[in-house]
Amino acid sequence: MIAIYPGSFDPITLGHLDIIERGCRLFELVIVAVVRNPNKTPLFTANERINQIRASTGHLSNLEVDSFEGLTVHYAKMRQALVLLRGLRVLSDFEMELQMALTNKTLSDEIETVFLATSKEYSFLSSSVVKEIARFGGSVDHLVPKHVALDISRCYARTHPGSIPTAQNSTLRMNHSRVDQEG
């Protein structure tokens, strides 16, 4: 059975990866589908997000990464998927996700939505939280794959030079601060 895991993944987080890996244990094929929404201005292009996801999921043999624009149920039908995979973090997610699942059911009776509760260590985590922390100079190395943290750092360095530390850069800055204070 094929499952579609749709989302913006801007950027992909360790919470997303948790859902992807668990979904791959449940389904024959999981297609991570990056939604291209022309009404939003993402941090990364659809191709950059696809590459980030591929680099993060290379160890999974029953996974495909794609992108689409439009209704998720139309994409699912085109890909012959019978399941939409969704992660739930908190109660407010459930309300929104249930509404979306019921709406999708009115569009396609044969497609089911399967909810996976996010592992507790990721229950607070969202792409928005990652971007907020990064925007204000915090390290996101513990929230996203290392290569994604570097991409985020590079992205914000272009718009806010010197404001984005990664764990490695933070250590370097601390060492430089000690030298400055001692010297």
Side-chain angles (χ1 to χ4, degrees), residues 71-155:
L71 293 174
T72 303
V73 292
H74 291 165
Y75 176 77
K77 282 181 180 181
M78 181 186 79
R79 296 304 309 264
Q80 299 176 341
L82 298 176
V83 172
L84 298 178
L85 184 60
R86 302 298 297 162
L88 295 175
R89 294 169 298 187
V90 292
L91 191 57
S92 57
D93 278 356
F94 180 73
E95 188 175 337
M96 182 194 67
E97 292 291 346
L98 180 61
Q99 182 179 19
M100 197 179 323
L102 294 172
T103 302
N104 285 337
K105 202 69 171 152
T106 68
L107 298 171
S108 178
D109 236 0
E110 60 271 3
I111 297 175
E112 295 293 337
T113 300
V114 172
F115 299 109
L116 290 181
T118 303
S119 297
K120 65 181 177 213
E121 64 266 30
Y122 305 120
S123 61
F124 70 95
L125 187 54
S126 69
S127 295
S128 298
V129 165
V130 169
K131 288 187 279 193
E132 182 92 2
I133 292 169
R135 186 178 302 116
F136 290 105
S139 173
V140 296
D141 292 16
H142 60 296
L143 305 173
V144 297
K146 299 296 180 209
H147 65 280
V148 175
L150 288 172
D151 289 347
I152 293 168
S153 178
R154 285 186 204 111
C155 183

Side-chain angles (χ1 to χ4, degrees), residues 6-22:
S8 61
F9 306 103
D10 185 42
I12 188 166
T13 69
L14 296 179
H16 291 130
L17 288 175
D18 174 55
I19 297 295
I20 291 167
E21 288 172 349
R22 290 166 53 212

Side-chain angles (χ1 to χ4, degrees), residues 31-46:
I31 301 171
V32 177
V34 174
V35 180
R36 295 186 318 262
N37 185 341
N39 298 324
K40 289 189 177 182
T41 306
L43 187 61
F44 297 106
T45 67

Side-chain angles (χ1 to χ4, degrees), residues 148-183:
V148 175
L150 288 172
D151 289 347
I152 293 168
S153 178
R154 285 186 204 111
C155 183
Y156 280 114
R158 285 193 302 264
T159 56
H160 300 89
S163 69
I164 297 296
T166 62
Q168 182 181 14
N169 291 343
S170 296
T171 304
L172 291 173
R173 286 189 185 138
M174 281 183 12
N175 289 339
H176 286 295
S177 294
R178 281 191 206 127
V179 170
D180 291 343
Q181 289 171 357
E182 293 170 2

